[in-house]
Amino acid sequence: MTDLSTFQITRRWPARYPDRIQLYSLPTPNGVKVSIMLEETGLAYEPHLVDFGRADQKTPEFLSLNPNGKIPAIIDPDGPGGRPLALFESGTILLYLAEKTGKFLPIDPAQRWQAVQWLMFQMGGVGPMFGQLGFFHKFDGKDYDDKRPRDRYVAETQRLLAVMDGWLAGRSWFVGEDYSIADIAMLGWVRNLIGFYEAREIVGFDRFTHVAAWLERGLARPAVQRGLDIPSRA
């Protein structure tokens, strides 16, 4: 039996199945990247809800795993060399799980780097910009009299959607016909933009027809549907 007791985080979130990957997360756009990937790969894992309402992400136990205090994070009891490995940052975890399973990251070097470049596009652009738009459109920022910050992020979100839309013309997924970690990284963010952030109209989402068709294809995948609700908030 794998012993994970050396990891401080297991004192707050005990592992019932220590031989499985331990997932510490919340079903946010960043969090669901990893739960979707785990569902897609079929790896055995145990999810633990990190409740932002209780500031779980700021506790010493969580910070011992991710000093940046962000979800998601994992412990793989069967890491390189058979030793447990702890990781944070959603993009890093996607790359790790793709390497571990040989899935959703093309073998061909050129296509592989295409997948990585679109993953970086999500990490550096889509996530931060969509998130800022959500703040200024739906949350506290909406009450600011000065609408220039909101308008800036509306414009940048539209620009990013246009980049995505142009690339997806004639393609099913971001790497041609191969569904990959690039798609997994972006699905939750685009869904959140027009759903939870209620920004469909303000960004004119319906004119980005290729992105809309790609989102529909992605959300139809059973593993995506399951992963979007993991860990359960109940």
Side-chain angles (χ1 to χ4, degrees):
M1 179 70 70
T2 306
D3 182 10
L4 299 181
S5 63
T6 57
F7 292 93
Q8 184 180 346
I9 195 168
T10 62
R11 300 171 198 167
R12 188 176 183 92
W13 291 277
R16 294 181 58 195
Y17 305 100
D19 56 332
R20 302 180 186 180
I21 291 173
Q22 303 295 303
L23 170 65
Y24 307 91
S25 191
L26 188 70
T28 66
N30 277 334
V32 300
K33 294 179 198 176
V34 177
S35 53
I36 289 171
M37 183 65 170
L38 288 165
E39 288 291 323
E40 292 278 17
T41 60
L43 287 167
Y45 70 101
E46 180 178 358
H48 303 278
L49 181 69
V50 180
D51 189 342
F52 285 4
R54 301 183 307 188
D56 281 347
Q57 76 277 18
K58 298 178 181 179
T59 60
E61 293 87 357
F62 188 80
L63 291 171
S64 71
L65 187 61
N66 183 359
N68 195 34
K70 303 289 185 181
I71 59 95
I74 67 167
I75 300 173
D76 183 0
D78 183 27
R83 295 184 296 274
L85 175 67
L87 289 174
F88 62 88
E89 283 296 333
S90 56
T92 298
I93 298 171
L94 287 180
L95 286 166
Y96 172 72
L97 295 175
E99 292 277 4
K100 181 181 178 73
T101 60
K103 296 179 179 179
F104 307 113
L105 189 59
I107 296 174
D108 175 77
Q111 290 189 329
R112 186 183 189 87
W113 283 109
Q114 278 195 2
V116 172
Q117 81 178 353
W118 285 107
L119 173 63
M120 297 301 110
F121 173 86
Q122 184 280 305
M123 298 291 290
V126 168
M129 296 300 104
F130 287 19
Q132 292 290 349
L133 174 56
F135 174 80
F136 285 104
H137 177 61
K138 180 174 180 177
F139 299 108
D140 292 351
K142 74 179 186 301
D143 298 324
Y144 296 177
D145 292 333
D146 187 347
K147 298 304 179 186
R148 286 176 294 178
R150 183 204 64 184
D151 293 346
R152 179 197 189 284
Y153 292 113
V154 168
E156 182 62 7
T157 295
Q158 291 172 327
R159 188 190 72 79
L160 292 168
L161 287 169
V163 172
M164 297 162 68
D165 203 62
W167 182 259
L168 286 167
R171 295 180 173 89
S172 296
W173 307 106
F174 276 91
V175 187
E177 297 306 308
D178 295 324
Y179 174 78
S180 73
I181 57 174
D183 303 288
I184 292 171
M186 281 190 264
L187 281 169
W189 277 107
V190 178
R191 174 180 178 262
N192 214 60
L193 176 72
I194 62 174
F196 185 63
Y197 289 163
E198 302 172 355
R200 185 182 204 115
E201 184 175 347
I202 197 172
V203 301
F205 180 79
D206 291 336
R207 65 190 168 96
F208 301 106
T209 56
H210 303 301
V211 174
W214 161 85
L215 179 63
E216 185 177 356
R217 281 191 294 275
L219 295 180
R221 295 178 69 90
V224 173
Q225 294 173 24
R226 295 191 300 271
L228 286 170
D229 292 318
I230 298 172
S232 173
R233 296 176 186 266

